[in-house]
Amino acid sequence: MRAIETITGRVSVLDRDDIDTDQIIPKQFLKRVERTGFGEFLFYDWAREPGWELPKNPVLVAGRNFGCGSSREHAPWALEDYGFQAIIAPSFADIFRNNCTKIGLLPVQLSAEACRAIAEAGECQVDLAGQEVRWPGGAEAFAIDPDTKQRLLNGLDEIGLTLAQSDAIAAYEAAREQSGGWAGPQTTALA
Amino acid sequence: MPKTLLDKIWERHQVGADGSLLYIDLHLVHEVTSPQAFDGLRMHGRTVRRPDRTLATADHNVPTDGTTTTARIRDELSRVQVQTLERNCAEFGIPLYSLGSPRQGIVHVIGPELGLTQPGMTIVCGDSHTATHGALGALAFGIGTSEVEHVLATQCLVQSKPKSMRIRYEGALGFGVTAKDLILATIGQIGVDGAVGHVVEYAGTAIESLSMEQRMTVCNMTIEGGGRAGMIAPDETTFEWIMSPPTRPAAPPAVPDEWHELRSDPDATFDREVVVDAAAVSPMVTWGTNPGMVVSVDGAVPAPSSEQDERALHYMGLEAGTPIEQLRLDRVFIGSCTNGRIGDLRAAASVARGRRVADGVYAMVVPGSAQVKAQAEAEGLDEIFRAAGFDWRGAGCSMCLGMNPDIAASGERVASTSNRNFEGRQGRGARSHLVSPQMAAAAAIAGHFVDIRSWDLDPQQEAAA
């Protein structure tokens, strides 16, 4: 995963609330077993409606509850493959937000007013280290979990970080087994 | 300090000094969201930490036309995806119930069915409807493919604790009103982002009096209200269901003591509390393009109050003010992880018995698993459906998301027992209305929506009277 510091440039605007991941990447493209190449299918059905325009910019500004519905990571993959590096919205669906941070696509939650102002300004700078978005005529701070921020700033592999805690995981497993309670079901033991 | 069910499960699964890792007791895997995760493991030379806490099945892609071997799946991309799952599970030692197995089925149907889903567990799956398992008092939530890879490699997830929310139901459900109506009405009340950032605990006598399967219907749709997970305190209904022999091979020898200690303490506090009047809920029908756009069956298509509403009405081909009961249907789908369990099929069959699907309507019944199918056939439900003109299918996700041959054509109006009425979800241009199994069966027979409360349950009894 590539490290993120600042993301600067033009913004594309999709002023709709509750955009679900079925719209971002429709089901027929989920049959692929690869992780790349989803960008050309982004908003596949909407892109065929008259008047659709979504320039390939570094930043997408969208409506409330962006990315609701299905957990498909193909949605962030498609947005990233299309060229977006950050998504700015008044709110995000939980799984989508999580999925974005795993691949280095930065979800930025700002007030609805700031989102409108950025859409009007047409450009902005997202400063991850400073946790602030700046645009001509304004700026607003955003929140991000400190561990996620560090991981994104350094482009770290989260699985590698967790594997470094293998001893703690093994100790937890051993403690659970020795506690004497019901150990829970084992999928490999199903007759 | 009094604790919630969420608190208790969370604390028991925190790993390491800072507790930032959450241990996962059961990881369910399917063909769509896993291939890239297995590729990631191979690329880094990593293994699966706990194959014995992992189970895979093929559900999203599988045809429901009776095909029983993967090699015979006609759609090449679907076939390759299922074959890829089979190869990956063999390589990494993960138990798999693929197409043709008597235990194959929708991942959220087979987990509980096999007894793998148990109170107090943490359960994840690369699928947003994982909250279904919370009905048994587990903490269960959907994850993306990167997290699937993370759990395969470490059996843990990096998670910060979500906020807690209790939805408390007052009063009892009325005649003809189901768990599906209850959750649709709830989402209508709180909105599709009403529970974002929260784990929802459903409580109240209306919840306690639901059967285990009905509770799964409620928890299943938590994500449609934005909730991270949905859960219900385990009680005697839960224990009895899990321990019911001989169908649950993963059940413990006896109810473990710790299961009795899981329920939220009486004076535990939640970050948010919402009250829903269960007694006021009617049979519900969605009119728009998200599950929060829902009205009572005796209501009408509402007047739009936003651009989003206008867009939804346009997509759905509806005019404000049209009574819901006047909406004529082309297709009916009974199935899915929301309503594809044996109780759902029994409920639909009780409506279909001795009647005929209306001319011009294609109605399909898709059992949630191979075991549900076998059980339904042992009870003769397949005969009831076939005699009434329903298409009796094999197990899978089917028309819920149309990743397989079961899709609706553009412009077709569908009554569906599934969970999402998003644009294009059941086929490009398809117009989906979410309802309960009883309402779907009645709509198939009438050719339009009908209020199940005014439905005579058995025409043969009617004739005899």
Side-chain angles (χ1 to χ4, degrees):
Chain A
M1 193 168 77
R2 112 196 108 71
I4 303 174
E5 220 167 280
T6 57
I7 298 160
T8 309
R10 305 286 303 166
V11 301
S12 299
V13 181
L14 194 44
D15 185 20
R16 295 181 190 179
D17 291 337
D18 305 316
I19 292 176
D20 59 77
T21 54
D22 272 82
Q23 307 316 314
I24 298 173
I25 184 84
K27 63 208 174 290
Q28 63 268 36
F29 306 110
L30 273 49
K31 293 182 181 181
R32 304 173 77 244
V33 294
E34 301 83 18
R35 200 171 188 136
T36 51
F38 288 95
E40 60 179 299
F41 311 120
L42 183 69
F43 294 112
Y44 187 82
D45 289 346
W46 286 0
R48 271 138 196 83
E49 290 177 9
W52 175 262
E53 202 186 340
L54 192 72
K56 294 189 177 185
N57 287 321
V59 179
L60 174 66
V61 179
R64 189 170 48 85
N65 195 30
F66 187 74
C68 61
S70 157
S71 64
R72 57 189 72 169
E73 197 166 302
H74 310 67
W77 294 341
L79 288 159
E80 194 216 22
D81 192 54
Y82 194 78
F84 294 118
Q85 298 167 44
I87 318 280
I88 299 178
S91 62
F92 292 92
D94 292 325
I95 304 177
F96 176 83
R97 180 203 298 260
N98 230 357
N99 287 345
C100 285
T101 67
K102 306 300 176 188
I103 67 162
L105 175 64
L106 186 61
V108 180
Q109 186 167 336
L110 295 181
S111 68
E113 295 72 39
C115 291
R116 265 195 300 276
I118 294 166
E120 275 167 29
E123 58 180 301
C124 71
Q125 180 173 58
V126 182
D127 176 359
L128 175 58
Q131 290 185 222
E132 188 180 68
V133 180
R134 296 179 281 271
W135 64 93
E140 188 169 291
F142 65 91
I144 185 166
D145 165 73
D147 291 339
T148 305
K149 177 179 169 180
Q150 281 313 310
R151 194 167 50 72
L152 290 172
L153 280 172
N154 297 297
L156 298 175
D157 164 27
E158 189 176 57
I159 297 175
L161 295 175
T162 302
L163 283 172
Q165 296 194 62
S166 289
D167 289 351
I169 300 171
Y172 172 87
E173 287 173 330
R176 278 269 296 263
E177 261 166 48
Q178 285 156 17
S179 71
W182 165 237
Q186 278 189 305
T187 57
T188 43
L190 292 180
Chain B
M1 172 115 169
K3 289 173 184 169
T4 64
L5 170 58
L6 168 65
D7 294 333
K8 294 178 188 183
I9 298 178
W10 195 272
E11 282 172 14
R12 285 172 202 184
H13 291 85
Q14 282 182 298
V15 175
D18 67 350
S20 64
L21 291 179
L22 185 73
Y23 194 80
I24 303 303
D25 293 328
L26 177 66
H27 184 195
L28 300 167
V29 174
H30 65 85
E31 77 276 18
V32 178
T33 55
S34 67
Q36 298 87 351
F38 285 110
D39 279 347
L41 292 182
R42 269 189 293 270
M43 199 160 62
H44 293 93
R46 291 166 177 160
T47 56
V48 174
R49 183 178 179 90
R50 296 297 297 264
D52 61 331
R53 303 282 183 184
T54 312
L55 182 79
T57 191
D59 55 3
H60 284 62
N61 263 293
V62 301
T64 61
D65 59 1
T67 303
T68 51
T69 48
T70 305
R72 293 242 168 119
I73 299 177
R74 266 186 241 120
D75 181 278
E76 191 190 344
L77 289 174
S78 292
R79 187 176 63 246
V80 167
Q81 205 167 50
V82 177
Q83 284 171 336
T84 303
L85 179 73
E86 291 175 351
R87 235 187 2 259
N88 284 329
C89 288
E91 180 181 339
F92 289 94
I94 294 170
L96 164 70
Y97 299 128
S98 194
L99 188 58
S101 162
R103 284 175 175 172
Q104 176 268 338
I106 306 176
V107 66
H108 310 309
V109 175
I110 70 168
E113 182 173 82
L114 293 166
L116 286 169
T117 302
Q118 297 178 8
M121 289 173 68
T122 49
I123 300 174
V124 296
C125 174
D127 189 282
S128 61
H129 292 109
T130 308
T132 312
H133 306 264
L136 292 101
L139 172 64
F141 52 92
I143 56 178
T145 299
S146 293
E147 290 191 317
V148 168
E149 186 180 340
H150 195 284
V151 177
L152 287 172
T154 69
Q155 204 58 31
C156 292
L157 275 176
V158 179
Q159 288 284 306
S160 45
K161 193 176 170 189
K163 290 185 204 139
S164 63
M165 173 169 173
R166 179 162 57 188
I167 300 183
R168 200 162 44 77
Y169 293 91
E170 285 186 346
L173 289 179
F175 170 77
V177 183
T178 69
K180 181 63 164 287
D181 305 304
L182 189 67
I183 189 64
L184 282 172
T186 303
I187 298 163
Q189 179 176 329
I190 68 172
V192 290
D193 60 354
V196 166
H198 292 77
V199 167
V200 178
E201 181 174 339
Y202 299 97
T205 49
I207 292 293
E208 288 161 25
S209 49
L210 293 178
S211 73
M212 205 58 243
E213 293 189 353
Q214 291 165 339
R215 295 179 186 187
M216 289 187 225
T217 300
V218 171
C219 288
N220 172 273
M221 288 192 71
T222 304
I223 185 73
E224 314 314 336
R228 193 86 179 86
M231 54 207 324
I232 292 172
D235 59 10
E236 287 308 317
T237 301
T238 321
F239 306 149
E240 208 174 287
W241 194 88
I242 295 173
M243 302 304 286
S244 60
T247 53
R248 304 193 209 295
V255 173
D257 290 341
E258 55 266 33
W259 288 6
H260 292 285
E261 297 151 17
L262 284 165
R263 59 172 46 251
S264 294
D265 297 330
D267 40 359
T269 55
F270 293 77
D271 296 310
R272 262 186 81 196
E273 291 256 17
V274 171
V275 174
V276 175
D277 184 357
V281 175
S282 306
M284 305 297 281
V285 180
T286 62
W287 58 267
T289 53
N290 74 44
M293 295 173 168
V294 64
V295 287
S296 165
V297 64
D298 53 9
V301 176
S305 62
S306 67
E307 238 176 83
Q308 192 181 9
D309 288 355
E310 279 168 24
R311 194 184 154 81
L313 286 181
H314 176 74
Y315 178 86
M316 293 297 289
L318 294 175
E319 278 185 33
T322 309
I324 295 294
E325 292 198 63
Q326 283 180 15
L327 300 181
R328 302 203 68 84
L329 297 154
D330 304 297
R331 274 179 180 261
V332 173
F333 168 61
I334 297 173
S336 85
C337 59
T338 312
N339 283 127
R341 281 168 273 271
I342 189 68
D344 299 311
L345 303 194
R346 286 177 189 145
S350 74
V351 173
R353 187 192 303 271
R355 292 189 161 95
R356 287 290 303 174
V357 170
D359 288 343
V361 174
Y362 169 72
M364 68 196 308
V365 183
V366 184
S369 71
Q371 284 203 58
V372 168
K373 182 177 162 78
Q375 174 72 25
E377 288 173 354
E379 295 178 17
L381 303 184
D382 58 326
E383 286 307 320
I384 294 171
F385 285 121
R386 278 203 195 93
F390 287 82
D391 193 1
W392 176 251
R393 311 284 295 183
C397 295
S398 183
M399 239 185 93
C400 173
L401 85 169
M403 272 196 76
N404 47 73
D406 303 344
I407 54 169
S410 186
E412 281 191 329
R413 194 170 297 288
V414 187
S416 177
T417 66
S418 58
N419 40 56
R420 285 186 179 136
N421 48 344
F422 294 155
E423 286 181 36
R425 171 89 176 172
Q426 299 191 293
R428 194 170 172 206
R431 295 160 171 168
S432 310
H433 298 269
L434 306 178
V435 290
S436 72
Q438 290 90 323
M439 287 280 289
I445 286 151
H448 56 86
F449 286 115
V450 288
D451 190 338
I452 193 71
R453 292 170 298 188
S454 59
W455 191 262
D456 297 307
L457 269 184
D458 192 336
Q460 279 151 2
Q461 282 176 8
E462 213 175 296

